[in-house]
Amino acid sequence: MSPSPARPLTRSPYGPPTRSPARPLGARIAARVAGGAVRVFLVLVALFWLMPTFGLLLSSLRSPSDIASGGWWQVFATPAQLTTENYRHLLADPTITDSLVSTVLITVPATLLVIVIGALAGYAFAWLDFPGRDWWFLVVVGLLVVPVQVALVPVSKLFGTVGIFETTLGVVLFHTAFGLPFAIFLLRNFFAEIPRELLEAARLDGAGEIRLFTRVVLPLGGPAVASLGIFQFLWVWNDMLVALIFADAQSPPITVALQQQVRQFGNNVDVLAPGAFVSMVIPLLVFFAFQRQFVSGVMAGAVK
């Protein structure tokens, strides 16, 4: 028989070291079973969470007649149903392709503006002294609770007076304005955690505020900036309420264009299914591309 493993020694301040009591066999088995059960449970939750996405993908690869005949799981019994004809029709539809371009023209500027302005304002609130700084920051925090629906009517009148109602510029400005409070709040709190000694050392080396912001603060705040960019991109890309009101009816974003594909007596399934999957897979690709920065930004500050 092989010798049993030696138990670890514990040193007592009043005598020679003694061996710590071994954990009971039942406790060790329970710990291992519990760990395996948790992993199995998490895998099942992940599969259950991805099932609608997988079903949408399979539905987008089926013909309208096959979709009407039964659910997407019938593909496993008859794989011959799978076809790319729906995507050919989708790419040949100018309404959908133009809406994708319009969505990109709205989402990218709205995301970049929020990142740039939010980073500058966050740095100012964190490290610059100016009159009323704390009071202005409280105003920014208060704007976080203002719902979008409250501003729809007054902003519509304002944009109509200025002449940017039902334009891409109007949608970008609306998303930028409502994305800035969260951006400033998030980045200010992240930038405030940067050690003051590091900034003072950079100032002693002759760095001005602009160089300090671009060379020191922004590189250290990369995870928070990436998290903010993902949040803003997803919010603007998936928005339909603001786009339905402020966007140009002749070139709507993808969410509005898909909503317009709903017929009076049924759904245009051969366009809705692949269009919905394309509109969903692009944000997923953006998220997975910046997943590491996103997790680092979310976890930043959780552990000192």
Side-chain angles (χ1 to χ4, degrees):
M1 296 178 61
S2 59
S4 60
R7 295 190 296 271
L9 297 177
T10 56
R11 186 173 299 276
S12 172
Y14 302 104
T18 59
R19 296 188 183 277
S20 60
R23 294 179 61 189
L25 179 61
R28 285 181 288 173
I29 295 177
R32 294 188 178 183
V33 172
V38 169
R39 294 189 184 93
V40 172
F41 175 75
L42 292 178
V43 170
L44 292 177
V45 170
L47 293 176
F48 181 77
W49 190 266
L50 292 175
M51 188 177 297
T53 304
F54 186 66
L56 180 62
L57 173 61
L58 293 182
S59 297
S60 66
L61 295 172
R62 302 174 68 202
S63 64
S65 58
D66 292 332
I67 294 176
S69 63
W72 56 266
W73 50 86
Q74 293 185 356
V75 170
F76 299 104
T78 55
Q81 292 182 357
L82 298 178
T83 177
T84 59
E85 196 67 25
N86 291 340
Y87 286 94
R88 294 195 188 99
H89 294 162
L90 180 73
L91 296 178
D93 190 345
T95 302
I96 300 298
T97 54
D98 292 345
S99 66
L100 285 172
V101 175
S102 300
T103 307
V104 172
L105 294 178
I106 291 172
T107 305
V108 174
T111 303
L112 293 179
L113 284 174
V114 167
I115 290 176
V116 173
I117 300 175
L120 291 171
Y123 174 75
F125 280 115
W127 294 109
L128 296 183
D129 292 326
F130 55 89
R133 182 184 67 174
D134 295 335
W135 288 105
W136 282 112
F137 185 69
L138 289 178
V139 172
V140 172
V141 174
L143 291 175
L144 288 171
V145 301
V146 177
V148 176
Q149 293 80 0
V150 173
L152 293 178
V153 174
V155 173
S156 299
K157 294 180 179 179
L158 175 63
F159 283 1
T161 304
V162 178
I164 58 175
F165 187 71
E166 290 190 347
T167 61
T168 300
L169 177 61
V171 183
V172 171
L173 292 179
F174 191 95
H175 282 300
T176 302
F178 271 85
L180 279 176
F182 175 74
I184 296 173
F185 176 77
L186 174 68
L187 296 182
R188 182 264 178 192
N189 292 339
F190 192 92
F191 292 161
E193 296 295 328
I194 298 176
R196 181 180 295 272
E197 293 78 8
L198 184 62
L199 301 181
E200 291 177 353
R203 288 192 177 98
L204 290 176
D205 291 338
E209 296 298 336
I210 296 179
R211 190 170 184 179
L212 188 66
F213 173 73
T214 56
R215 298 294 181 88
V216 179
V217 175
L218 273 186
L220 293 176
V225 173
S227 301
L228 172 64
I230 292 175
F231 276 123
Q232 181 69 10
F233 185 92
L234 294 178
W235 178 52
V236 178
W237 184 278
N238 295 321
D239 170 76
M240 189 176 71
L241 176 62
V242 177
L244 195 62
I245 297 176
F246 294 98
D248 187 1
Q250 303 302 322
S251 57
I254 185 64
T255 52
V256 179
L258 291 176
Q259 188 270 338
Q260 292 175 351
Q261 293 295 323
V262 179
R263 297 169 178 168
Q264 183 177 4
F265 298 104
N267 295 334
N268 197 358
V269 183
D270 55 334
V271 176
L272 284 176
F277 185 77
V278 170
S279 67
M280 181 181 62
V281 75
I282 294 178
L284 286 177
L285 293 177
V286 173
F287 173 79
F288 286 119
F290 299 96
Q291 181 182 9
R292 183 174 301 178
Q293 292 83 355
F294 176 77
V295 174
S296 301
V298 171
M299 296 299 296
V303 181
K304 290 286 186 180

